[in-house]
Amino acid sequence: GDSVTQMEGPVTLSEEAFLTINCTYTATGYPSLFWYVQYPGEGLQLLLKATKADDKGSNKGFEATYRKETTSFHLEKGSVQVSDSAVYFCALSPNSGGYQKVTFGIGTKLQVIP
Amino acid sequence: DTGVSQDPRHKITKRGQNVTFRCDPISEHNRLYWYRQTLGQGPEFLTYFQNEAQLEKSRLLSDRFSAERPKGSFSTLEIQRTEQGDSAMYLCASSSGHPNEKLFFGSGTQLSVL
Protein backbone atom coordinates (compact mmCIF):
# COMPACT_ATOMS: atom_id res chain seq x y z
CA GLY A 1 0.00 0.00 0.00
CA ASP A 2 0.88 3.66 -0.08
CA SER A 3 3.36 4.91 2.47
CA VAL A 4 5.37 7.99 3.37
CA THR A 5 8.73 8.00 5.12
CA GLN A 6 10.09 11.18 6.61
CA MET A 7 13.02 11.95 8.82
CA GLU A 8 12.42 11.68 12.50
CA GLY A 9 12.84 14.70 14.68
CA PRO A 10 13.15 16.70 16.59
CA VAL A 11 15.12 19.07 14.44
CA THR A 12 16.58 22.03 16.30
CA LEU A 13 17.90 24.98 14.31
CA SER A 14 19.01 28.50 15.06
CA GLU A 15 17.04 31.35 13.55
CA GLU A 16 18.02 32.08 9.92
CA ALA A 17 19.46 28.60 9.41
CA PHE A 18 18.68 26.52 6.31
CA LEU A 19 16.06 23.80 6.73
CA THR A 20 15.68 20.50 4.94
CA ILE A 21 13.21 17.83 5.99
CA ASN A 22 13.49 14.69 3.90
CA CYS A 23 10.46 12.81 2.63
CA THR A 24 10.19 9.79 0.36
CA TYR A 25 7.10 7.91 -0.68
CA THR A 26 5.86 4.61 -2.03
CA ALA A 27 2.73 4.61 -4.14
CA THR A 28 1.22 3.10 -7.23
CA GLY A 29 0.61 5.45 -10.09
CA TYR A 30 1.18 9.16 -9.76
CA PRO A 31 0.02 10.52 -6.42
CA SER A 32 -0.32 14.12 -5.36
CA LEU A 33 2.12 15.15 -2.64
CA PHE A 34 1.60 17.52 0.26
CA TRP A 35 3.26 19.08 3.26
CA TYR A 36 0.95 19.82 6.16
CA VAL A 37 1.99 21.79 9.24
CA GLN A 38 0.66 21.65 12.78
CA TYR A 39 1.44 24.63 14.98
CA PRO A 40 1.20 24.17 18.75
CA GLY A 41 -2.44 23.96 19.84
CA GLU A 42 -3.79 24.17 16.30
CA GLY A 43 -5.16 21.78 13.70
CA LEU A 44 -3.21 20.54 10.71
CA GLN A 45 -3.16 22.92 7.78
CA LEU A 46 -1.89 22.57 4.27
CA LEU A 47 1.49 24.22 3.72
CA LEU A 48 2.09 23.35 0.07
CA LYS A 49 1.34 20.75 -2.54
CA ALA A 50 2.46 19.38 -5.91
CA THR A 51 0.25 17.32 -8.16
CA LYS A 52 2.63 16.00 -10.81
CA ALA A 53 6.28 15.21 -11.41
CA ASP A 54 8.68 18.17 -11.41
CA ASP A 55 6.06 20.49 -9.93
CA LYS A 56 7.36 22.77 -7.19
CA GLY A 57 5.04 23.70 -4.36
CA SER A 58 5.83 26.83 -2.38
CA ASN A 59 4.32 28.87 0.43
CA LYS A 60 5.61 31.13 3.23
CA GLY A 61 9.20 30.70 2.02
CA PHE A 62 8.98 26.90 2.06
CA GLU A 63 9.50 24.88 -1.12
CA ALA A 64 9.31 21.24 -2.15
CA THR A 65 9.82 19.66 -5.58
CA TYR A 66 8.05 16.49 -6.72
CA ARG A 67 10.85 14.16 -7.82
CA LYS A 68 9.41 11.05 -9.43
CA GLU A 69 12.78 9.51 -10.22
CA THR A 70 13.78 9.50 -6.56
CA THR A 71 10.19 9.31 -5.19
CA SER A 72 10.96 12.25 -2.96
CA PHE A 73 9.37 15.52 -1.85
CA HIS A 74 11.88 17.18 0.46
CA LEU A 75 10.84 20.35 2.28
CA GLU A 76 13.26 23.28 2.29
CA LYS A 77 13.43 26.81 3.60
CA GLY A 78 16.35 29.13 3.23
CA SER A 79 16.04 31.00 6.51
CA VAL A 80 13.85 29.71 9.31
CA GLN A 81 12.17 31.86 11.93
CA VAL A 82 11.09 31.11 15.48
CA SER A 83 7.49 31.22 14.24
CA ASP A 84 8.22 28.20 12.00
CA SER A 85 8.45 25.97 15.07
CA ALA A 86 5.84 23.27 14.46
CA VAL A 87 5.37 19.67 13.40
CA TYR A 88 5.62 19.07 9.65
CA PHE A 89 3.88 16.13 7.95
CA CYS A 90 4.64 14.85 4.49
CA ALA A 91 1.62 13.23 2.85
CA LEU A 92 0.33 11.75 -0.38
CA SER A 93 -3.01 11.18 -2.01
CA PRO A 94 -3.63 8.87 -4.96
CA ASN A 95 -4.93 10.62 -8.04
CA SER A 96 -7.70 8.10 -8.38
CA GLY A 97 -10.77 7.03 -6.48
CA GLY A 98 -12.32 10.45 -6.66
CA TYR A 99 -11.52 11.55 -3.12
CA GLN A 100 -8.59 12.49 -0.94
CA LYS A 101 -7.59 9.48 1.12
CA VAL A 102 -4.44 11.06 2.42
CA THR A 103 -1.59 8.97 3.82
CA PHE A 104 0.64 10.85 6.26
CA GLY A 105 4.20 10.39 7.46
CA ILE A 106 5.00 10.34 11.16
CA GLY A 107 5.77 14.04 11.32
CA THR A 108 8.97 15.93 12.03
CA LYS A 109 9.06 18.37 14.90
CA LEU A 110 11.01 21.54 14.16
CA GLN A 111 12.21 23.81 16.93
CA VAL A 112 13.80 27.12 15.98
CA ILE A 113 15.73 28.90 18.68
CA PRO A 114 16.53 32.64 18.66
CA ASP B 1 -15.63 30.73 7.25
CA THR B 2 -15.85 29.24 10.73
CA GLY B 3 -13.60 26.30 9.92
CA VAL B 4 -14.03 22.71 11.03
CA SER B 5 -15.08 22.42 14.65
CA GLN B 6 -14.89 19.40 16.89
CA ASP B 7 -16.46 18.76 20.24
CA PRO B 8 -15.33 18.04 22.87
CA ARG B 9 -11.68 19.08 22.79
CA HIS B 10 -10.82 16.59 25.51
CA LYS B 11 -12.56 13.47 26.79
CA ILE B 12 -11.47 11.32 29.70
CA THR B 13 -13.35 8.09 30.18
CA LYS B 14 -13.05 4.79 31.95
CA ARG B 15 -12.40 1.58 30.09
CA GLY B 16 -15.63 -0.02 28.95
CA GLN B 17 -17.59 3.21 28.63
CA ASN B 18 -19.04 4.52 25.38
CA VAL B 19 -18.00 7.90 23.98
CA THR B 20 -19.27 10.04 21.12
CA PHE B 21 -17.50 12.85 19.32
CA ARG B 22 -19.00 15.44 17.02
CA CYS B 23 -17.58 17.18 13.97
CA ASP B 24 -19.07 20.17 12.17
CA PRO B 25 -17.40 20.59 8.77
CA ILE B 26 -17.19 23.76 6.73
CA SER B 27 -20.77 24.28 5.62
CA GLU B 28 -20.33 23.99 1.86
CA HIS B 29 -18.04 20.94 2.03
CA ASN B 30 -19.65 17.68 0.98
CA ARG B 31 -16.69 15.45 1.93
CA LEU B 32 -15.86 14.57 5.51
CA TYR B 33 -13.06 12.43 6.89
CA TRP B 34 -12.13 10.99 10.27
CA TYR B 35 -8.51 10.33 11.18
CA ARG B 36 -6.83 9.07 14.32
CA GLN B 37 -3.45 10.28 15.54
CA THR B 38 -1.41 8.71 18.30
CA LEU B 39 1.60 10.30 19.97
CA GLY B 40 4.59 10.46 17.67
CA GLN B 41 2.66 9.25 14.64
CA GLY B 42 0.97 10.85 11.69
CA PRO B 43 -2.80 10.82 11.27
CA GLU B 44 -4.26 7.50 10.13
CA PHE B 45 -7.35 7.36 7.92
CA LEU B 46 -10.45 5.92 9.57
CA THR B 47 -13.43 6.67 7.35
CA TYR B 48 -14.83 8.95 4.67
CA PHE B 49 -18.25 10.39 3.87
CA GLN B 50 -19.53 12.00 0.74
CA ASN B 51 -22.64 13.83 1.82
CA GLU B 52 -24.48 11.32 4.04
CA ALA B 53 -22.97 8.20 2.45
CA GLN B 54 -20.10 6.45 4.21
CA LEU B 55 -18.01 5.31 1.25
CA GLU B 56 -14.95 3.79 2.87
CA LYS B 57 -13.92 2.43 6.24
CA SER B 58 -10.40 1.53 7.22
CA ARG B 59 -9.71 -1.88 8.74
CA LEU B 60 -8.51 0.17 11.73
CA LEU B 61 -12.19 0.86 12.40
CA SER B 62 -13.24 -2.17 14.43
CA ASP B 63 -16.89 -3.03 14.99
CA ARG B 64 -16.77 -1.02 18.23
CA PHE B 65 -16.48 2.12 16.13
CA SER B 66 -19.36 3.65 14.22
CA ALA B 67 -19.61 6.90 12.34
CA GLU B 68 -22.62 8.67 10.95
CA ARG B 69 -23.34 11.78 8.98
CA PRO B 70 -27.09 12.28 8.96
CA LYS B 71 -28.33 14.77 6.39
CA GLY B 72 -24.82 15.21 5.11
CA SER B 73 -23.94 17.95 7.57
CA PHE B 74 -22.30 17.22 10.95
CA SER B 75 -20.82 13.83 11.75
CA THR B 76 -20.51 11.75 14.90
CA LEU B 77 -17.97 9.10 15.76
CA GLU B 78 -18.95 6.68 18.52
CA ILE B 79 -16.66 4.24 20.27
CA GLN B 80 -18.35 1.53 22.28
CA ARG B 81 -16.71 -0.37 25.16
CA THR B 82 -13.61 1.80 25.04
CA GLU B 83 -10.18 0.24 25.54
CA GLN B 84 -6.93 1.85 26.63
CA GLY B 85 -5.61 1.39 23.10
CA ASP B 86 -8.33 3.76 21.85
CA SER B 87 -6.54 6.66 23.55
CA ALA B 88 -5.60 9.04 20.74
CA MET B 89 -6.40 12.32 19.06
CA TYR B 90 -9.41 11.95 16.76
CA LEU B 91 -9.28 14.38 13.87
CA CYS B 92 -12.03 15.44 11.53
CA ALA B 93 -11.41 17.04 8.16
CA SER B 94 -13.58 18.26 5.32
CA SER B 95 -13.11 19.23 1.70
CA SER B 96 -15.12 20.55 -1.19
CA GLY B 97 -14.43 17.61 -3.45
CA HIS B 98 -12.50 19.37 -6.18
CA PRO B 99 -9.57 17.29 -7.47
CA ASN B 100 -6.53 17.64 -5.22
CA GLU B 101 -8.44 20.02 -2.99
CA LYS B 102 -6.81 20.45 0.38
CA LEU B 103 -8.28 19.03 3.55
CA PHE B 104 -9.37 21.43 6.27
CA PHE B 105 -8.77 19.90 9.69
CA GLY B 106 -10.39 20.57 13.01
CA SER B 107 -8.34 20.85 16.19
CA GLY B 108 -9.28 17.32 17.20
CA THR B 109 -10.73 15.53 20.20
CA GLN B 110 -8.15 14.09 22.60
CA LEU B 111 -9.45 10.85 24.11
CA SER B 112 -7.89 9.37 27.22
CA VAL B 113 -9.14 5.96 28.35
CA LEU B 114 -8.20 5.15 31.93
Side-chain angles (χ1 to χ4, degrees), chain A residues 11-43:
Chain A
V11 174
T12 302
L13 296 174
S14 297
E15 206 165 21
E16 299 183 0
F18 184 84
L19 169 71
T20 299
I21 300 178
N22 291 334
C23 170
T24 57
Y25 67 90
T26 302
T28 54
Y30 305 94
S32 292
L33 303 175
F34 308 86
W35 278 99
Y36 279 80
V37 59
Q38 188 171 32
Y39 298 103
E42 297 184 16

Side-chain angles (χ1 to χ4, degrees), chain A residues 32 34 36 38 41-46 49 51 87 89 93-95 97-107, chain B residues 9 31 33 35 37 40-45 48 50 56 91 95 97-107:
Chain A
S32 292
F34 308 86
Y36 279 80
Q38 188 171 32
E42 297 184 16
L44 281 89
Q45 54 187 278
L46 181 68
K49 69 179 182 183
T51 58
V87 182
F89 294 90
S93 176
N95 278 323
Y99 69 94
Q100 288 237 16
K101 181 180 175 181
V102 182
T103 299
F104 289 86
I106 63 171
Chain B
R9 290 293 301 272
R31 299 185 174 188
Y33 309 77
Y35 282 80
Q37 185 178 15
Q41 300 296 318
E44 296 173 296
F45 171 82
Y48 155 71
Q50 180 158 332
E56 184 169 346
L91 300 171
S95 73
H98 295 143
N100 300 311
E101 178 60 67
K102 66 181 180 181
L103 299 180
F104 291 79
F105 280 88
S107 297

